[in-house]
Amino acid sequence: MKRTLSILGSSGSIGRQTLKVAECCGHDVAAITVNASVERAEEQARRFKPRLAVAVDENAAADLRVRLADTGTKVLSGPEGLLEAAALPQADTVVTAIVGVAGLRPTLAAIDGGKRIALANKETLVCAGELVMERAKAKGAEIVPVDSEHSAIFQCLQGCKNRGEVRRLIITASGGPFYGKSCEELSLVTKAQALKHPNWAMGAKITIDSATLMNKGLEFIEAMRLYAMPPEKIQIVVHRESIVHSLVEFQDGAVLAQLGSADMCLPIQYALTWPERTAGPAKPLDLLSCPPLTFQRPDPDTFRCLGLALACADRGGTSTAILNGANEAAVGLFLEDKIGFLDIARLVERALDRVPVQDGPSLDDIFEADHAAREAVYQSVR
Ligand code: MG
């Protein structure tokens, strides 16, 4: 089925791979958005001819407007531009590939527009999962996950009409570049090492989250929200080879898994074409050249970010927004070389100690918790 896409975050890793899928499978692109990557936005706009291109940064938008003056593409700026792209009437599917809680309002705008959401922004569900899922249900907006683990679970659940049949969800984790290291060894790792993921090519923020295992903690919470599962029915297993993308165990003991090469084009494409499958650009999996598949227990004591995320998954309320806000701030500081690798978990833990948790939060409460968590992190390093 041919779809018309609005791609929020088109210059990032997921955005660029979405365009590759669109080109290969013949989907139309109605809108693209970037933060400030003007050159890339111009190149994409000339190639895909969207009716709307947004640069959130005002100066970048002014530049982009000049660059695209000879085309039919309208250029908008700021968070309002992002909301307009999310709710664009011509688009039937919105790919939310923005990093961080910044994706929350545009996701809600897309839901209000009744779009299919190809969800590639896990922070939205981590911070406001209950609100987002409720709103999607009320508006009849489909949410199809792009995150490879959640796409795998989504695929395994096709044909399961009664969620009571599910015994547990099993999320796989590559373990990141530092799997097996001790706390002492982790205290010495560098930014360059943390940015080198063994299996996946991704953006900087998620690559650091993968190295701390915070990414797996965020994905645990994302799975709880997407599939309305309590934490005791979700298990994380380390699977170094990144071939089994996740599994579902049913009440009768059957375990279904989705396997594939480590190529995000497949989950992106499935989020667009679901419930149909078509040929696409994803690299096929050759079982005969696969390494042996291994599964191990994760270590949330050494990888403290995972332990903190699992505690927040149990606690609920605004704790997950505090966790996420503090982590976004701390990862930002790490990428600016202002703190060490182990400081990320330390700062997140301190923010969780300092910011009070609220139950049954409104959207405003969630944004307030996010802000307070970032402030707590910045105060700790001042
Ligand atoms: Mg993932």
Side-chain angles (χ1 to χ4, degrees):
M1 185 187 174
K2 191 170 149 175
R3 307 204 69 100
T4 304
L5 313 179
S6 173
I7 304 171
L8 310 184
S10 64
S11 60
S13 173
I14 294 290
R16 296 197 312 269
Q17 291 178 85
T18 302
L19 287 169
K20 183 173 160 191
V21 169
E23 192 155 51
C24 185
C25 303
H27 301 293
D28 286 332
V29 179
I32 57 170
T33 85
V34 300
N35 189 37
S37 308
V38 173
E39 266 171 43
R40 192 152 254 158
E42 181 188 357
E43 189 189 306
Q44 292 177 344
R46 291 196 179 277
R47 187 161 188 149
F48 291 91
K49 303 185 172 36
R51 57 174 60 227
L52 176 63
V54 176
V56 176
D57 180 89
E58 299 285 346
N59 293 328
D63 185 2
L64 188 60
R65 208 166 279 127
V66 173
R67 286 167 181 257
L68 294 180
D70 64 324
T71 70
T73 299
K74 180 171 138 186
V75 176
L76 291 176
S77 66
E80 318 79 51
L82 213 49
L83 295 181
E84 191 146 332
L88 194 71
Q90 289 81 7
D92 52 45
T93 303
V94 177
V95 181
T96 60
I98 294 176
V99 178
V101 76
L104 177 50
R105 281 192 204 281
T107 303
L108 289 171
I111 287 171
D112 289 345
K115 313 292 188 193
R116 171 179 293 188
I117 317 290
L119 187 88
N121 170 262
K122 67 189 69 171
E123 293 91 344
T124 286
L125 286 190
V126 168
C127 295
E130 279 141 335
L131 278 176
V132 168
M133 295 307 286
E134 254 169 49
R135 179 101 69 113
K137 204 172 171 191
K139 301 280 179 181
E142 297 162 341
I143 296 192
V144 188
V146 166
D147 212 343
S148 61
E149 295 78 0
H150 305 76
S151 174
I153 291 168
F154 190 82
Q155 293 178 59
C156 294
L157 286 173
Q158 296 302 305
C160 168
K161 292 193 180 69
N162 172 8
R163 282 291 156 81
E165 292 174 2
V166 174
R167 191 186 282 166
R168 66 189 165 142
L169 308 179
I170 303 166
I171 301 177
T172 53
S174 73
F178 304 141
Y179 182 72
K181 284 200 189 301
S182 66
C183 282
E184 293 77 57
E185 289 169 317
L186 286 179
S187 68
L188 301 172
V189 303
T190 64
K191 183 170 94 177
Q193 289 170 323
L195 281 171
K196 236 190 201 132
H197 195 278
N199 303 344
W200 295 94
M202 307 177 287
K205 197 262 177 178
I206 185 174
T207 303
I208 301 302
D209 284 347
S210 297
T212 62
L213 289 205
M214 179 60 94
N215 184 53
K216 214 43 61 177
L218 299 178
E219 289 182 350
F220 186 98
I221 300 165
E222 183 186 8
M224 284 171 64
R225 302 300 178 236
L226 265 175
Y227 301 112
M229 283 284 163
E232 61 273 17
K233 286 188 152 188
I234 306 177
Q235 185 190 6
I236 296 172
V237 295
V238 174
H239 167 54
R240 297 293 284 154
E241 299 79 28
S242 295
I243 289 168
V244 178
H245 295 308
S246 278
L247 316 89
V248 176
E249 180 184 344
F250 292 89
Q251 295 295 359
D252 58 2
V255 178
L256 299 193
Q258 187 252 324
L259 282 68
S261 55
D263 184 342
M264 286 306 293
C265 285
L266 174 57
I268 291 168
Q269 181 181 321
Y270 190 67
L272 306 183
T273 61
W274 171 79
E276 293 168 17
R277 290 185 186 271
T278 62
K283 191 168 162 257
L285 177 69
D286 176 12
L287 283 174
L288 297 178
S289 61
C290 282
L293 305 183
T294 63
F295 301 94
Q296 291 141 79
R297 211 179 282 283
D299 177 1
D301 298 321
T302 305
F303 290 86
R304 188 78 195 112
C305 283
L306 177 58
L308 294 170
L310 295 178
C312 291
D314 281 333
R315 174 64 186 85
T318 49
S319 72
T320 54
I322 298 166
L323 172 89
N324 180 72
N327 182 60
E328 282 189 34
V331 170
L333 292 172
F334 177 72
L335 288 171
E336 290 168 20
D337 295 309
K338 293 196 171 131
I339 60 170
F341 185 75
L342 287 180
D343 292 328
I344 298 173
R346 246 176 244 137
L347 290 170
V348 171
E349 185 159 23
R350 198 172 299 171
L352 284 166
D353 285 342
R354 285 187 184 175
V355 182
V357 175
Q358 212 173 320
D359 288 306
S362 67
L363 196 56
D364 286 342
D365 295 333
I366 288 163
F367 281 118
E368 237 165 71
D370 172 74
H371 179 75
R374 286 166 199 267
E375 274 307 302
V377 167
Y378 296 137
Q379 275 169 16
S380 300
V381 293
R382 242 169 233 151

